[in-house]
Amino acid sequence: MEGRSDEVDREALWRRIMNAFEYGDVLITLGTGRTSESEAYSTGLPGEHDYAVIGLEESSGKRLFLVKNPWSESGGWVPNPKSEVQHDPVNRKMQVFEDVPKRGPEAQKSSLQPGTFWINVNDVFQHFESLYLNWNPGLFAYREDVHFSWDVASTIGPWASFGTNPQYHIHSKAGGVVWLVLTRHFKSSDQASGNVKCGSPKGSAIDTEFISLYLFQDRGDKVYLTDGSIIRGPYVDAPNTLLKAELRASVPYTVVISEQKLDRSSHSFTLSAFSLQPLLICEARDKYRYHAVRSGAWTSQTAGGNASSSDYFKNPQFSIDLPRQSDVSLLLEVRFGELPVHVKLVWSDGKAIRFVGARDILGDSGEYRKGHAFAEMPNVPAGRYTVVCSTFEQGQLGGFNLQVGTMCECKVQRIFMRPAGQFVSRPKTAHFVGETDRLWTALQCSRLTRLSVLAQSHETAGIRSSQAMPSSLPLRVSLEIGHGLAKRTLASSGNDEYSNGYYGVQITDVDIQPYMCPQAGVRLVLERAGPLHSSGIEGVDVEVYSDANIEMGSWLG
């Protein structure tokens, strides 16, 4: 706990630790914070250093800690020479120091061993930043432990939601006090390199890395937003952190493990729950059985700002095809930075929206918030809907991930924003089977037309919440003309590079003349980087937007 916090009831704390210390049920250590050289010199207490408490004494109105500095050769606490009365309960005598030196073993004239000193409780709270209480686990009748690993690389950043954080359901039929202890395990690489200093969390490899616990009263289900917790523990740079809570009988809770600045790699933890009554702890349930993840970006052409902006409808939009009634969740996360964002679900038959009335809105994420936005809509009827992802101001640029959670399989696709009046052609789904890595179809047009193409890997199965991110083979779409040595590429997606087809690839604004089609042959080509790893089938949906009507043939290999 923070020793200097105004929230600490010093009277109650003293009584508690005094009684427990007498029975041997608590180990106490103290830690100093960062101090200046002059302050460390005048007090005899080095900064960012830990001490052991080996005795407690209350006598003549004085409450004293007997403290041991592990650097036994160093001097100890130097009291104020004008007012400090030094008490040595071992010899049962009082010593008043009239001329106390500022440093050195002669600072305290008593029978104490070097590095050991008495200090009163008020000075402890003034000069020590942290008070560590290590309780005897044998005091509790019940204990539950959960061991787990967390790949922090799966989180987006400090402004991310709790969507990828480890979460656990806690439930007690009888209720009562529960102590939750999170322990972060040291890595063997840290120990091998000597970065871990035994006996002190400070000065180790995790000095600038922090962990914390949040407790929610939310049916024991998985939570996504960082606010709404009933208890929020402090972020500590130690390998252990504690959260104490009073549980109501038969009420489920969710505990979330959080971090700040942890190394972007996999870490191992143990979550321990101590209580006087039987306790159940298990992985929190995700009420949404299926998740579809899509990526997008606010660019100079699509960063339209909030709903009061005339360019709001330029924001990235996605269609959701819901086959039956279901609860729906929308989680929008910024990949980098802390842009204030918002997500909205609109009833518009899955088409790009250019006007939204109040009756068309099924739900949204409320106020704009930094880094992520979350919305939940219960009992959404079957149908096609549109999702709008926006930043607060126009011109705010950045990438994002949109995660759609549902109770049934659904299809989520990015909506290609096209000018009003364009034709839309949707050929049958192209299927890559086995080792096939190239498919094409011929295009025919009757007059000069400008066209754009959007291709996206077809989702044929729901993505379970246990899967980190859907994936497909990298995909490229292009327009070719001619044959053999005369063949050339009119346009291709991603600067001719392969991209994740699950998120969609596109080419824009290519002019096609009628004479090109029958003479040289214009082909729309889909290519993927390598064969499938199994005998499965991967489908790709294609949409072609054009100024005039075009005809497309069957897909050929």
Side-chain angles (χ1 to χ4, degrees):
M1 67 178 65
E2 296 292 331
R4 299 169 184 171
S5 172
D6 294 333
E7 298 179 1
V8 176
D9 186 339
R10 299 184 183 183
E11 177 69 25
L13 176 63
W14 173 261
R15 292 299 173 197
R16 186 177 185 187
I17 63 176
M18 184 69 179
N19 293 334
F21 194 85
E22 290 179 349
Y23 285 98
D25 288 330
V26 64
L27 297 177
I28 307 172
T29 52
L30 301 172
T32 55
R34 291 189 178 183
T35 59
S36 64
E37 287 189 14
S38 60
E39 183 180 354
Y41 186 85
S42 63
T43 63
L45 301 175
E48 296 186 302
H49 185 51
D50 290 332
Y51 297 78
V53 176
I54 59 176
L56 296 177
E57 179 77 14
E58 184 170 8
S59 177
S60 303
K62 286 281 186 178
R63 294 171 174 174
L64 303 170
F65 288 74
L66 181 57
V67 179
K68 170 66 176 176
N69 184 351
W71 299 347
S72 59
E73 70 278 4
S74 301
W77 160 242
V78 179
N80 187 328
K82 295 183 179 180
S83 60
E84 180 69 16
V85 177
Q86 186 67 18
H87 177 58
D88 184 352
V90 175
N91 294 327
R92 290 292 187 267
K93 62 183 179 180
M94 306 292 290
Q95 295 180 337
V96 181
F97 297 108
E98 298 177 352
D99 186 15
V100 181
K102 292 184 176 181
R103 292 187 64 82
E106 297 297 320
Q108 298 179 60
K109 300 177 180 179
S110 72
S111 61
L112 299 177
Q113 295 296 317
T116 305
F117 56 90
W118 289 95
I119 181 172
N120 71 54
V121 67
N122 292 329
D123 285 327
V124 167
F125 283 105
Q126 179 179 351
H127 295 286
F128 289 90
E129 182 179 82
S130 301
L131 176 66
Y132 303 100
L133 303 177
N134 303 275
W135 296 94
N136 177 12
L139 294 172
F140 303 93
Y142 297 91
R143 172 176 179 170
E144 296 288 341
D145 294 304
V146 178
H147 309 285
F148 62 94
S149 296
W150 181 16
D151 186 1
V152 181
S154 63
T155 63
I156 293 180
W159 295 99
S161 71
F162 278 162
T164 58
N165 291 48
Q167 303 186 25
Y168 291 91
H169 168 111
I170 296 179
H171 177 265
S172 174
K173 290 184 178 180
V177 176
V178 61
W179 297 55
L180 298 171
V181 179
L182 177 67
T183 301
R184 178 187 162 200
H185 304 301
F186 291 116
K187 295 183 178 180
S188 57
S189 57
D190 292 336
Q191 296 171 336
S193 63
N195 289 331
V196 177
K197 296 184 178 180
C198 297
S200 175
K202 293 181 172 58
S204 70
I206 59 174
D207 272 357
T208 58
E209 302 175 331
F210 303 87
I211 56 176
S212 180
L213 291 172
Y214 286 64
L215 188 67
F216 295 82
Q217 186 177 320
D218 193 41
R219 305 181 306 278
D221 291 341
K222 184 176 180 178
V223 297
Y224 289 88
L225 294 182
T226 56
D227 49 11
S229 62
I230 58 174
I231 302 178
R232 173 182 173 180
Y235 283 90
V236 299
D237 61 355
N240 304 281
T241 186
L242 169 71
L243 185 147
K244 179 185 175 185
E246 179 82 30
L247 302 187
R248 295 167 55 192
S250 300
V251 174
Y253 296 81
T254 301
V255 61
V256 181
I257 288 79
S258 183
E259 60 82 23
Q260 290 181 356
K261 301 182 180 180
L262 276 188
D263 180 62
R264 303 288 103 177
S265 61
S266 181
H267 299 266
S268 297
F269 296 86
T270 296
L271 178 64
S272 301
F274 300 90
S275 66
L276 298 177
Q277 302 293 336
L279 186 74
L280 170 68
I281 180 168
C282 59
E283 189 172 350
R285 179 183 70 99
D286 191 341
K287 64 176 289 187
Y288 299 100
R289 297 182 58 198
Y290 299 90
H291 292 271
V293 181
R294 300 289 182 268
S295 70
W298 293 285
T299 67
S300 56
Q301 289 78 35
T302 62
N306 62 68
S308 64
S309 167
S310 59
D311 290 332
Y312 175 73
F313 303 106
K314 293 182 179 179
N315 282 304
Q317 300 181 25
F318 296 81
S319 68
I320 300 177
D321 192 349
L322 198 63
R324 61 181 176 84
Q325 178 176 294
S326 170
D327 295 347
V328 175
S329 69
L330 303 174
L331 176 62
L332 177 65
E333 291 188 287
V334 179
R335 286 202 290 271
F336 302 102
E338 52 187 72
L339 294 177
V341 294
H342 182 272
V343 63
K344 180 179 296 182
L345 184 65
V346 181
W347 200 329
S348 66
D349 198 30
K351 299 178 181 178
I353 59 171
R354 302 184 184 278
F355 171 81
V356 175
R359 296 182 178 180
D360 299 325
I361 301 174
L362 275 76
D364 61 29
S365 56
E367 298 292 331
Y368 281 79
R369 57 185 298 151
K370 290 183 178 181
H372 65 276
F374 182 71
E376 283 187 295
M377 286 69 62
N379 302 320
V380 176
R384 301 188 69 201
Y385 303 90
T386 298
V387 179
V388 184
C389 305
S390 63
T391 57
F392 184 71
E393 295 182 358
Q394 292 177 261
Q396 292 181 311
L397 311 182
F400 65 84
N401 288 339
L402 173 68
Q403 177 177 291
V404 179
T406 56
M407 310 300 289
C408 61
E409 297 184 38
C410 71
K411 189 174 183 179
V412 180
Q413 290 183 303
R414 186 171 59 185
I415 298 175
F416 188 77
M417 303 300 292
R418 64 185 187 278
Q422 279 198 326
F423 290 86
V424 183
S425 300
R426 296 185 177 92
K428 292 183 178 180
T429 299
H431 291 103
F432 286 98
V433 181
E435 297 186 357
T436 303
D437 59 6
R438 175 184 168 96
L439 297 172
W440 63 273
T441 182
L443 300 182
Q444 297 285 340
C445 63
S446 57
R447 64 179 179 86
L448 172 64
T449 183
R450 173 167 292 182
L451 59 81
S452 299
V453 181
L454 173 65
Q456 191 168 38
S457 293
H458 186 258
E459 181 179 299
T460 58
I463 304 300
R464 294 280 182 175
S465 60
S466 59
Q467 292 178 259
M469 183 72 71
S471 62
S472 69
L473 289 171
L475 183 69
R476 179 174 64 192
V477 60
S478 58
L479 286 170
E480 294 180 353
I481 186 172
H483 301 278
L485 296 177
K487 183 178 71 175
R488 60 189 177 92
T489 301
L490 298 175
S492 64
S493 61
N495 295 320
D496 206 33
E497 297 290 336
Y498 288 90
S499 303
N500 192 334
Y502 193 88
Y503 298 137
V505 294
Q506 67 181 54
I507 52 179
T508 58
D509 298 336
V510 181
D511 291 331
I512 302 295
Q513 294 275 15
Y515 72 84
M516 297 178 175
C517 301
Q519 295 181 5
V522 176
R523 297 177 301 281
L524 174 62
V525 182
L526 298 175
E527 297 172 284
R528 64 178 185 182
L532 289 175
H533 296 297
S534 65
S535 59
I537 300 175
E538 180 179 356
V540 178
D541 288 332
V542 175
E543 293 183 347
V544 180
Y545 306 93
S546 57
D547 297 331
N549 189 35
I550 63 171
E551 296 180 3
M552 304 177 65
S554 301
W555 291 104
L556 303 174

